[in-house]
Amino acid sequence: MSSYGQFCPVAKAMEVLDERWTLLVIRELMLGSTHFNELRRGVPKMSPALLSKRLRTLERAGIITRSEQGNRVVYGVTASGRELFPVVEALGLWGLRWIHQLGEEDLDPHLLLWDMRRTIPVDEWPRARTTLAIDLADVEPGGRHWWVVVSGSEVDVCDVDPGHEVTATLRTELLTLTQIWRGDLPWPAALRTGAVEISGPDMARRNVPRWLGTSGLARSLGTG
Amino acid sequence: MSSYGQFCPVAKAMEVLDERWTLLVIRELMLGSTHFNELRRGVPKMSPALLSKRLRTLERAGIITRSEQGNRVVYGVTASGRELFPVVEALGLWGLRWIHQLGEEDLDPHLLLWDMRRTIPVDEWPRARTTLAIDLADVEPGGRHWWVVVSGSEVDVCDVDPGHEVTATLRTELLTLTQIWRGDLPWPAALRTGAVEISGPDMARRNVPRWLGTSGLARSLGTG
DNA sequence: CAGTATCCATTTCGATACTG
DNA sequence: CAGTATCGAAATGGATACTG
């Protein structure tokens, strides 16, 4: 937050925005998180103290709002914050295009499923309650098994067996699913090479890619 | 440069870009600087050691190139770097729209004139050699007096009297000229209120605003 | 749920001076 | 011109535990 000593608008913008984690917090708000612990899930490696500090800074900068609704605290963006969305998107598209190397440390099954959960396209799923099991074969217990349950318009993603009958099972490795999600690897290619295996009735095997989709940024690249 | 532990493209992008000064260095390259000491003039508060470090990091990240041409070192952007220009511009436009408060410490006459020099619209000036004197009335010596000399297609900006006959003189305060340059304050308004005084022949007095213009970002806002 | 509190290792950066 | 070298102050931020 220290000054660059420049009148240049880029410099003035970066005085607020170049602090570590800041734009990722804004990304979370942009993706719809509004509560403190909801935000935390999107930036799990950030300490709560630091998140709290950043939120305060952003509030003072007029980029976000903090309000107490009943006994809950709600964060939101101001007009100024909303106008940062194109910046975040531009950064994301650039990252997608130019940074392909993902290291072990960039992968996180919880983060991946949390992100996927946000945009599960319910309309693509059958009307009847449907359960997709995901098995990330190379991940330790406590992050390996996931269940996506769609029932009506309700989505549930959990890492403990909900006990329902499983409609289909997707088996792959964490890196592969991450790459698919980012848009680096198209679903059809992943299925063709066997990097992803889907077991279950034919209908399901064909539809699982549409049930999960890809991240918003991947779609932006596709249509842009 | 430490990892966020996230596969998200925004996070991967910020791992490189959120370090202090980084995007300002890219801005300088974007505006046409190619040599080390040229870059320094655009980020005068940055120590040479740090600039050197950032350049190396950007080179390793595949964003800029460094080549020795003859005995001079030349920096340039790669395709990846070029695609950061929209990001820098988006940040600048956001900064221009939402951060209006300029503090004393953001003002710097050398930086301002260095920036203005880059885009002096020669075509707007008379054919004959023309000298515009600028007097920043509230600035200490060693930054107060400037001369813009346009002769043919050549532009010279200096802070020592070149000795030519002065065609016109612009007198104002540093903050005012900075605001005009950024686009916060339109030329006509500044002239009307007397915040800027131009002395000299009528022709000159009418034309000085077009001789100097405004920053590229200000123009982007106007046309966007 | 929504944060605070504490603590210290580590990093970072600015200042200044120097070099082939 | 194009950087290095060195140094120390300051801040950052990660880890962990705790609270109304």
Side-chain angles (χ1 to χ4, degrees):
Chain A
M1 266 275 286
S2 83
S3 165
Y4 282 117
Q6 303 203 174
F7 57 82
C8 165
V10 179
K12 294 302 293 178
M14 290 314 278
E15 283 180 13
V16 198
L17 302 175
D18 74 358
E19 285 187 306
R20 197 165 152 76
W21 294 108
T22 297
L23 279 174
L24 300 191
V25 172
I26 292 169
R27 176 201 68 194
E28 285 309 301
L29 288 161
M30 174 174 157
L31 293 177
S33 292
T34 57
H35 302 295
F36 191 84
N37 286 333
E38 211 176 353
L39 290 165
R40 282 194 69 181
R41 295 194 61 170
V43 284
K45 294 254 167 67
M46 189 180 191
S47 81
L50 192 51
L51 173 56
S52 171
K53 185 178 169 186
R54 287 290 183 274
L55 289 169
R56 238 166 261 289
T57 302
L58 285 169
E59 192 190 355
R60 275 201 311 271
I63 293 170
I64 71 172
T65 57
R66 176 187 193 279
S67 57
E68 320 213 353
Q69 299 200 356
N71 52 354
R72 293 207 72 179
V73 177
V74 176
Y75 293 96
V77 290
T78 62
S80 156
R82 216 170 301 121
E83 292 197 16
L84 276 174
F85 293 177
V87 172
V88 174
E89 190 174 12
L91 277 164
L93 291 175
W94 182 86
L96 208 44
R97 246 177 88 68
W98 295 103
I99 308 186
H100 298 289
Q101 211 122 314
L102 289 184
E104 182 88 26
E105 70 279 6
D106 298 322
L107 305 180
D108 179 338
H110 294 85
L111 201 48
L112 177 60
L113 271 291
W114 167 248
D115 198 22
M116 294 179 77
R117 190 200 164 288
R118 287 199 261 239
T119 54
I120 295 284
V122 183
D123 297 345
E124 302 283 353
W125 291 60
R127 293 282 169 102
R129 187 182 69 199
T130 308
T131 301
L132 171 68
I134 298 179
D135 178 6
L136 300 171
D138 60 334
V139 177
E140 315 281 274
R144 168 167 182 173
H145 293 286
W146 299 84
W147 290 264
V148 182
V149 184
V150 173
S151 178
S153 66
E154 221 163 277
V155 180
D156 210 8
V157 171
C158 46
D159 56 359
V160 294
D161 190 342
H164 309 144
E165 188 197 350
V166 167
T167 314
T169 298
L170 182 155
R171 189 186 157 87
T172 185
E173 299 195 338
L174 175 56
L175 176 58
T176 303
L177 190 56
T178 302
Q179 288 176 327
I180 291 174
W181 181 242
R182 287 180 30 123
D184 298 326
L185 175 65
W187 275 108
L191 289 165
R192 202 180 327 112
T193 63
V196 167
E197 294 168 45
I198 301 173
S199 57
D202 250 32
M203 175 278 287
R205 298 185 49 187
R206 272 198 312 280
N207 286 327
V208 163
R210 273 185 295 134
W211 290 358
L212 296 178
T214 58
S215 79
L217 279 176
R219 290 196 298 279
S220 294
L221 252 195
T223 60
Chain B
M1 268 272 287
S2 85
S3 165
Y4 282 117
Q6 301 203 172
F7 57 83
C8 165
V10 180
K12 294 304 290 177
M14 289 315 277
E15 283 180 12
V16 198
L17 302 176
D18 73 358
E19 285 187 304
R20 195 163 153 77
W21 294 109
T22 297
L23 279 174
L24 301 191
V25 172
I26 292 169
R27 178 201 66 194
E28 285 308 302
L29 289 160
M30 175 174 156
L31 294 178
S33 294
T34 58
H35 302 296
F36 192 84
N37 286 332
E38 213 176 352
L39 290 165
R40 281 194 70 182
R41 296 194 60 171
V43 283
K45 293 255 169 67
M46 189 181 192
S47 83
L50 193 50
L51 173 55
S52 171
K53 185 178 169 186
R54 287 289 183 275
L55 288 169
R56 241 167 257 291
T57 303
L58 286 169
E59 193 189 355
R60 276 202 310 272
I63 293 170
I64 71 173
T65 58
R66 176 188 193 277
S67 58
E68 320 212 354
Q69 299 199 357
N71 52 355
R72 294 206 71 178
V73 177
V74 176
Y75 293 95
V77 291
T78 63
S80 155
R82 215 168 301 120
E83 292 198 16
L84 276 174
F85 292 177
V87 173
V88 174
E89 190 175 9
L91 278 164
L93 290 175
W94 183 85
L96 208 43
R97 247 178 88 68
W98 296 103
I99 309 186
H100 298 289
Q101 211 123 315
L102 289 184
E104 183 88 28
E105 68 281 5
D106 297 322
L107 305 180
D108 178 339
H110 294 85
L111 201 48
L112 177 59
L113 271 292
W114 167 249
D115 197 22
M116 294 179 78
R117 188 201 166 288
R118 288 200 259 240
T119 53
I120 295 284
V122 182
D123 297 344
E124 301 282 355
W125 291 59
R127 292 281 168 103
R129 187 182 70 199
T130 309
T131 301
L132 171 69
I134 299 178
D135 177 6
L136 300 171
D138 60 334
V139 176
E140 314 281 275
R144 168 167 182 174
H145 293 287
W146 298 84
W147 289 265
V148 183
V149 184
V150 173
S151 177
S153 68
E154 220 164 277
V155 180
D156 210 9
V157 172
C158 45
D159 56 0
V160 293
D161 190 342
H164 307 145
E165 189 197 348
V166 167
T167 314
T169 298
L170 184 155
R171 189 186 157 85
T172 184
E173 299 195 337
L174 175 56
L175 175 58
T176 303
L177 191 55
T178 301
Q179 288 177 326
I180 291 174
W181 181 242
R182 288 180 29 124
D184 297 327
L185 175 64
W187 276 108
L191 289 165
R192 203 181 326 112
T193 62
V196 167
E197 293 169 46
I198 301 174
S199 56
D202 249 32
M203 176 279 287
R205 299 184 49 187
R206 272 197 312 278
N207 287 325
V208 164
R210 274 186 293 133
W211 290 358
L212 295 177
T214 59
S215 79
L217 278 175
R219 290 196 298 279
S220 293
L221 251 196
T223 61

